[in-house]
Structures are given as C-alpha cells and as structure tokens.
C-alpha cells in the first residue's frame, strides 16, 4: 500500500459579506414612528425588567445593556428617552422582510440571527463590491426601512470585523476589507474580544499569553493557539489570516424546540398554568411543523421565582416519551397538562412554565413503531389548515379551548408599540 503525502493546496480565494442591522429593535420602532429618528430609545425585556436594546443616542447617555429599568428611570425621564416593551411580532416580521429582500438581491445567503446575514460573494469578485453592497443597503432602507451596515472580506470572521468597523467609522455604512493592509490596520485597532468567537474568558487567557489586539491574534502561531484553545481557536487564527475555514451554513432543523415565558404576575391556580402551557405547546408545535419534524417526547417544567427570598424555591420537570413521534398539537397539550398535574403543588406562587419538544425527527424518515397504526390523513390536513389560517389571518385566530380566552397570566408589556405588520387591528392610522 502506498501513502502519498498530501500537498498543501491553496484554497480558492473566498469573499464574504456580513449584513447587520443597526440597533435592530430600536430601528424597527422607528420604521412606523419616524418622529423617533435621532431620539434616544430603549427596549425592555420580557415583563419590562431590563434594557435589552438601545439606540445610539441612548448608548451615549450611558444606559448600559441589561440595565434594570427601575434603576435608570431618572436618567430615562430626565432625558426623554422613549421606552418600549419588546414587540417580537414586529421585530420578527421585519426581520423576515429583510431576509426575503436580501435573497432577492443576492444568491447565496445564510441567515445568522434575527438581524444578521452572511453572503458568499466569491463569484462576484469581478464587480465593484462596494457599489454592490451600497445598493443592497439602500434597497433595504427603501423597501423595509431599517438601516444596515455591511462588512466585506476574505473570511466570515474578517467580514464580521469589517462590519464592526463599517458601523462605527464610516458614513457609507459599507467597508471593503479585503487587502492585507487594511486588514492589519483595522485588526490592530480592535481588542481580541471584539473578534467573533472570542469570549471574555478566552480574551483574558489570551492576554496572559501576551496577545492583546486582534492583530496579535492574527500573527500568533495557530499550532500554539490550538494547544490552548482547541481547534476552534486555531480556526479563528486561520480565518483572521484570510484562510476561509467556515463556509455558508445551510439551515439545519432544530433538534429541540423550547417555548417558555415568565408569567406577568405570580400564578397560583392550576387552571391558569394549564392555559399557559397549552399556549406554549401550540407555539412550539407550530414551529415544529414548519420545519417538518415530529417530536418523540416532551419535557414540561414549572418553577417559582428564584429571586423571591420569602419563599422556598421550587423547580420541577418531567419527561414524557410518546409511543410514536407526533406533531399533533392536541396530543401534546394533553400530555403537557398531565405533567403539570403531577408537578403542581397547591399553595406555591409560580413564576414560569416551559415546554420542550425533544429528540425531533424528520417527518418523512422516522422509525415506525412495530405496532403502530397508520396515522389518520385527515389529522394532518386539519393541522396544516389551522397553521395556514393562523398564518394568514393572524396569530391564534383558531385556537384550542385549553388555551383559554382571558390569559390572566401573560407577560407585562405595558409599553409595547403596535404590531403594525401582523395584526389587522393595529395597522398604522393616518389622519388626513
Ligand atoms: Mg445588529
């Protein structure tokens, strides 16, 4: 047997762009309220607890990320900061519009998060990528109304860095960082922690090794980095050097889907918890059917507040495995409620419930039970019809009786703006 030593081969040069929305949640609020342009905005977490997003003007006022709302109320009122409860219907819908628009403008896209997408522009090198990206940027502003920044470079990690620079230091909002000189100049001005994938903990460890700036990291020995930070660390160094190690990721189906929320108040009645868990089950099941999966089991949990020192903390969960993978909402609700019956203790004040659909399998290729009966085809049709109607007519137009109608346990969101794009009753009204 012959072994040939593999020759180091030169990888074809790659080009990536990262599109990232500027202060996404704050920008979404401005789309339907243009008077908020240049005004400070903060968005609060579930139950209006902490600040989870800020406009640039709010950042300048020194309101930190994660700031408890009640602690900063004075700064907020003194400076006329506009405060919003999170409006995930609006943010989710505008995100979808942005991603759909990008898809119309560029062929290879990976949606990385609610407000970020990578493009593979390797086949577009012959054209002026600054102009190409500027065009995408102005189209997104025109079509959706949200401003974005775009960073271009040879790898995904470098495109991320280019994006940070584009956002902070350019008026055009686009930065092409492909030549070695600008790569070195920009990385020299960045901390190691600013690099994609470097956590604060890794940053501290790198500093102990004398690596301070992103440029130091680029110039370090990948083999040494591997010893200390595994292959993941080595890959980051290679990416900083312009060797593309990460391609565009296709969207993978999730293996677990979680739906949970803190209640708006403490809940003591089992009926209310039944309603809440039924609603979470509906939400999770819709997501599961949208990715064509079936679930093999559910984990339901229930807990009191870990912050309330006056009561003993209680946190219980149970797993139930279905005899046959399912995507049937009513079956999932039924067993979720049975678990609640098991773990619910009368007299406690509950703060949160959660359902996780676990070990999801593909709808079209799963192991059938030896004794299984074939599924009723009408059931599938019914579920699809409900999903479609709720998609076109609005969330929960058709709902299960067990979801309840009063929903006394829902989150506080007193300052939520209208769901302008997903609810007929909340459309923007214009006075003529
Ligand atoms: Mg962003």
């Amino acid at each position: 047997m012959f072994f040939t030593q593999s020759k180091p081969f030169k990888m074809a040069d790659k080009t990536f762009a990262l599109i990232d929305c500027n202060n996404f949640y704050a920008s979404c609020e401005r789309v339907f309220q243009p008077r908020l342009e240049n005004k400070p905005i903060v968005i609060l977490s579930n139950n209006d607890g902490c600040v989870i997003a800020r406009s640039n003007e709010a950042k300048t006022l020194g309101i930190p990320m994660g700031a408890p709302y009640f602690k900063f109320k004075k700064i907020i009122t003194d400076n006329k900061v506009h405060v919003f409860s999170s409006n995930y219907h609006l943010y989710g819908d505008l995100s979808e519009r942005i991603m759909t628009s990008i898809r119309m403008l560029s062929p290879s896209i990976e949606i990385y998060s609610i407000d970020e997408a990578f493009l593979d522009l390797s086949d577009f090198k012959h054209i002026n990528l600054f102009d190409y990206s500027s065009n995408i940027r102005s189209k997104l502003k025109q079509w959706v109304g949200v401003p974005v920044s775009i960073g271009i470079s040879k790898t995904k990690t470098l495109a991320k860095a280019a994006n940070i620079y584009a956002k902070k230091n350019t008026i055009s909002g686009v930065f092409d960082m492909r030549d070695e000189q600008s790569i070195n100049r920009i990385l020299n001005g960045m901390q190691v922690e600013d690099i994609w994938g470097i956590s604060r903990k890794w940053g501290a460890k790198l500093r102990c090794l004398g690596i301070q700036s992103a440029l130091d990291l680029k110039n370090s020995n990948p083999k040494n980095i591997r010893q200390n930070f595994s292959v993941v660390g080595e890959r980051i160094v290679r990416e900083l050097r312009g060797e593309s190690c990460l391609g565009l990721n296709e969207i993978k189906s999730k293996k677990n889907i979680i739906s949970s929320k803190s209640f708006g108040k403490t809940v003591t009645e089992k009926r209310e918890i039944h309603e809440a868990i039924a609603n979470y089950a509906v939400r999770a099941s819709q997501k599961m059917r949208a990715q064509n999966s079936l679930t093999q089991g559910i984990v339901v949990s229930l807990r009191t507040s870990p912050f309330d020192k006056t009561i003993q903390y209680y946190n219980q969960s149970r797993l139930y495995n279905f005899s046959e993978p399912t995507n049937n909402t009513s079956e999932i609700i039924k067993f979720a409620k049975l678990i609640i019956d098991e773990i619910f203790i009368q007299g406690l004040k509950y703060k949160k419930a959660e359902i996780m659909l676990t070990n999801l399998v593909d709808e079209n290729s799963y192991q059938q039970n030896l004794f299984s009966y074939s599924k009723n085809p009408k059931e599938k049709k019914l579920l699809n019809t409900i999903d479609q109607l709720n998609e076109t007519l609005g969330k929960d137009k058709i709902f299960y009786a067990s979801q309840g109608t009063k929903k006394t346990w829902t989150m506080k969101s007193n300052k939520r703006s209208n769901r302008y794009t997903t609810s007929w009753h909340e459309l923007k009204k214009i006075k003529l």
Side-chain angles (χ1 to χ4, degrees):
M1 196 182 275
F2 297 99
F3 290 95
T4 50
Q5 200 177 355
S6 61
K7 281 187 200 138
F9 68 96
K10 183 151 168 35
M11 270 189 30
D13 274 350
K14 291 278 202 179
T15 301
F16 293 95
L18 176 69
I19 305 181
D20 184 12
C21 301
N22 301 350
N23 306 317
F24 181 56
Y25 293 175
S27 298
C28 288
E29 298 293 350
R30 280 179 179 148
V31 171
F32 290 91
Q33 301 187 61
R35 68 188 170 87
L36 298 178
E37 210 64 51
N38 304 319
K39 303 268 163 55
I41 300 175
V42 296
I43 286 105
L44 303 177
S45 61
N46 289 346
N47 278 327
D48 294 346
C50 313
V51 172
I52 52 157
R54 303 158 299 160
S55 70
N56 284 339
E57 299 75 12
K59 288 177 191 172
T60 315
L61 288 172
I63 302 170
M65 191 68 169
Y69 176 48
F70 72 93
K71 273 196 185 167
F72 285 81
K73 247 187 180 151
K74 183 155 171 29
I75 297 188
I76 286 171
T77 34
D78 287 355
N79 294 283
K80 298 198 179 73
V81 178
H82 297 264
V83 180
F84 291 96
S85 306
S86 341
N87 184 348
Y88 291 112
H89 292 271
L90 180 66
Y91 312 150
D93 188 60
L94 291 188
S95 167
E96 237 177 86
R97 290 174 190 216
I98 285 172
M99 300 309 169
T100 313
S101 306
I102 297 174
R103 241 188 224 112
M104 289 165 70
L105 297 163
S106 200
S108 317
I109 148 170
E110 172 195 345
I111 299 171
Y112 179 67
S113 71
I114 190 166
D115 71 333
E116 283 174 75
F118 283 105
L119 306 181
D120 186 341
L121 298 178
S122 306
D123 296 332
F124 286 67
K125 280 194 263 269
H126 55 284
I127 60 168
N128 183 327
L129 287 185
F130 181 86
D131 292 347
Y132 179 84
S133 304
S134 300
N135 176 53
I136 294 181
R137 190 173 179 270
S138 61
K139 284 280 176 356
L140 293 177
K141 185 80 176 89
Q142 190 190 341
W143 294 349
V144 190
V146 170
V148 303
S149 301
I150 306 182
I152 308 158
S153 197
K154 295 190 219 172
T155 66
K156 285 168 90 176
T157 307
L158 286 172
K160 268 259 187 192
N163 189 291
I164 295 177
Y165 188 83
K167 194 169 284 146
K168 288 192 180 152
N169 304 296
T170 67
I171 296 166
S172 63
V174 176
F175 187 63
D176 184 349
M177 191 180 82
R178 279 178 294 168
D179 65 286
E180 202 61 19
Q181 232 181 351
S182 50
I183 292 176
N184 289 343
R185 181 170 61 86
I186 305 306
L187 293 187
N188 194 30
M190 289 175 86
Q191 304 294 315
V192 270
E193 293 89 350
D194 294 335
I195 293 301
W196 188 35
I198 303 288
S199 61
R200 231 178 252 195
K201 208 170 141 198
W202 276 20
K205 210 168 149 190
L206 284 164
R207 277 163 206 284
C208 290
L209 299 168
I211 296 166
Q212 314 266 355
S213 73
L215 183 63
D216 294 339
L217 185 61
K218 176 185 180 237
N219 291 334
S220 62
N221 183 337
K223 292 268 146 47
N224 288 348
I225 295 295
R226 185 183 185 136
Q227 276 170 8
N228 287 291
F229 301 91
S230 78
V231 66
V232 179
E234 181 188 357
R235 202 159 55 201
I236 293 172
V237 176
R238 293 195 184 280
E239 284 255 320
L240 288 177
R241 293 172 164 213
E243 289 173 41
S244 172
C245 309
L246 302 164
L248 279 202
N249 280 341
E250 295 145 49
I251 302 157
K252 287 198 191 99
S253 295
K254 289 193 177 139
K255 280 279 169 235
N256 297 310
I257 291 175
I258 293 178
S259 179
S260 75
K261 262 180 199 158
S262 295
F263 305 132
K265 53 169 185 130
T266 49
V267 171
T268 51
E269 287 196 36
K270 199 202 273 182
R271 178 192 57 81
E272 291 183 290
I273 293 171
H274 272 165
E275 272 186 21
I277 208 72
N279 278 277
Y280 304 161
V282 167
R283 215 67 66 230
S285 308
Q286 279 165 349
K287 281 188 193 161
M288 166 173 65
R289 286 192 293 272
Q291 66 168 44
N292 301 318
S293 302
L294 303 172
T295 186
Q296 306 201 67
I298 52 172
V299 178
V300 171
S301 37
L302 186 60
R303 69 162 166 77
T304 58
S305 167
F307 305 109
D308 188 347
K309 297 282 182 285
T310 61
I311 52 167
Q312 205 193 342
Y313 179 54
Y314 175 80
N315 185 359
Q316 246 332 310
S317 54
R318 289 268 193 294
L319 163 76
Y320 177 81
N321 279 317
F322 294 105
S323 55
E324 179 102 351
T326 181
N327 64 3
N328 187 336
T329 312
S330 34
E331 199 178 353
I332 294 167
I333 292 177
K334 182 176 135 197
F335 286 99
K337 284 167 74 177
L338 285 174
I339 296 180
I340 292 291
D341 289 343
E342 276 180 37
I343 58 181
F344 177 87
I345 297 176
Q346 191 69 43
L348 294 183
K349 294 175 177 170
Y350 296 97
K351 195 63 192 157
K352 189 176 184 177
E354 175 180 297
I355 182 166
M356 178 164 79
L357 310 181
T358 175
N359 292 321
L360 301 189
V361 287
D362 188 73
E363 184 180 29
N364 302 311
S365 56
Y366 71 93
Q367 186 84 44
Q368 294 216 340
N369 185 326
L370 183 60
F371 305 104
S372 73
Y373 55 96
S374 62
K375 279 208 159 64
N376 184 352
K378 279 188 183 160
E379 173 190 306
K380 190 176 173 179
K381 215 169 176 183
L382 175 68
L383 289 166
N384 284 344
T385 311
I386 293 176
D387 286 347
Q388 271 165 23
L389 286 173
N390 282 334
E391 175 129 330
T392 41
L393 299 176
K395 185 184 153 194
D396 284 344
K397 268 285 162 301
I398 297 183
F399 62 95
Y400 291 82
S402 48
Q403 286 177 257
T405 49
K406 294 211 181 80
K407 302 195 176 160
T408 41
W409 41 270
T410 45
M411 284 193 307
K412 277 185 282 186
S413 55
N414 299 328
K415 300 176 181 62
R416 180 174 59 70
S417 51
N418 282 354
R419 294 169 293 191
Y420 300 105
T421 59
T422 53
S423 167
W424 286 115
H425 306 290
E426 298 179 28
L427 290 179
K428 183 89 185 165
K429 293 192 181 80
I430 298 169
K431 281 189 201 130
L432 293 172

